[in-house]
Amino acid sequence: MDVTEIWKHALPIIENNVSSISFDLYIQPLVAESFEDGTFTLCAPTTRDANYARNERHFPHIDAAVKAVAPLVEKVEIIDAVEKERRDARNNPAPVVTEAEPVIYNNNINPQQTFANFIVGKSNQEVAAMAEFVAKHPAKKINPLFIYGRSGLGKTHLLNAIANYILEDKPSTKLVLTSIEKFTDDYVSVIKQKGDFGAFREKYRNVDVLLIDDVQELASKQATQEEFFHTFNDLFEHQRQIVLTSDRHPNEIATLSERLQSRLKSGIFQDIRTPDIEMRTAILQKKAALEDKFLPNEVAAHIAEHSNKVNENIRDMEGHLIKIIVYAELNGHTVPTIEDCDAALADNSGDAETARVGDMAARVIATTANYFDVTPDEITGKRRTEKLANARSVAAYLLTKKLEAVPLTEIGEIVGGRTHAWVIFSRDKIAKQITTDDKLKTAVDDILNQLSK
């Protein structure tokens, strides 16, 4: 048998001895490279993958299976793609060819966020397919692609996945992955320093692919909107790929100019919805496997059900998983149990009363944010505008009304880590204003009515 046949017959043996997650993530990607001088060599796509395949949980099964299929094998080794390239270069010297370096002005691409580790389910399968199509066929049919959905569901992951795929497929691509905040900072910096707008425009317009995160931040930035409009037009007219993400549809972004809104709506829109329990379970198991931890199906499902009940986003859910893993280890458990989950989550959210408080606090902030056309993250964030300050104060006032038994210091923490004194000031300010400001009183009453439903 040749090396491919040996590996083909070894795979089913290994599959019967490791978890399905481990098999899918670390065993199947291995490729049989060679069988020389008694050594059977497998290649993993990355160094991280190779290390996982070599660890004591996986390698003994790989070693035993290969030797069972091919008794002449004396040694099994696992190399990564870098080592393979070195070996190939030594064995097949080739002329040195200098390839153009990729243009990445904002080098914040996360190499770990790829299509391979993006969990796909009913809530995101369409947007994942569109993102992958864009990566494989830039500026062909889907341009621009506008991805929107609540925070923590994977929008930024998809931007990084597109960038990673394109640069791996064609390293000479001129690509920028950035955020509207960074775009704005660069633009304002040029204005303040009376600098070269030519250099700024070269940076953002002389590219093949522009990936922009958090487009909702354009709201209330009129000057930046104008510059972004012209940047968008220039790239679009030259058939350059544009991908944008936002926490809301362009129609819902306040104070967005009509012509920019029209431009943004010229492409394909796709939302990412909240994942169901099955998808949450799959995400948790893959995350655990990436941490080299085994997470039983029933434990993953238990965490997923809790996460779904409190409407957590993926980022928060993954954070709770890490806490559960650490809690289990501190209690001497190599594999987390359901009891570990309940204890860790109770420690995080307290008892049933604390869970109720957390739910009400989230509802108050979300309802207030929706009423004032801002996001919950903006209310709890650090950015200061008159509109945000007003929404933030109303949220604090309502929290003191709906959570009367909760200490004001805790309410300050809920509203982004603000002080006890700030809560008192905000509460008293709104209480006084609603006695004379009919518009504000109507707003407060409307939000209270929504919260009571």
Side-chain angles (χ1 to χ4, degrees), residues 407-420:
L408 297 185
T409 51
E410 188 173 332
I411 288 178
E413 286 299 318
I414 292 169
V415 193
R418 288 172 166 80
T419 65
H420 174 268

Side-chain angles (χ1 to χ4, degrees), residues 47 91 135 139 184 194 201 248 285 294 329 369 383 386 414 441:
T47 302
N91 296 333
T184 302
K194 298 181 180 179
R201 287 162 185 164
R248 67 195 88 165
Q285 290 197 302
F294 173 67
E329 289 178 345
R383 196 155 65 91
E386 183 177 350
I414 292 169
K441 186 177 188 307

Side-chain angles (χ1 to χ4, degrees), residues 185-196:
D185 288 346
D186 288 349
Y187 182 61
V188 171
S189 179
V190 174
I191 294 173
K192 285 182 176 179
Q193 297 172 17
K194 298 181 180 179
D196 183 3

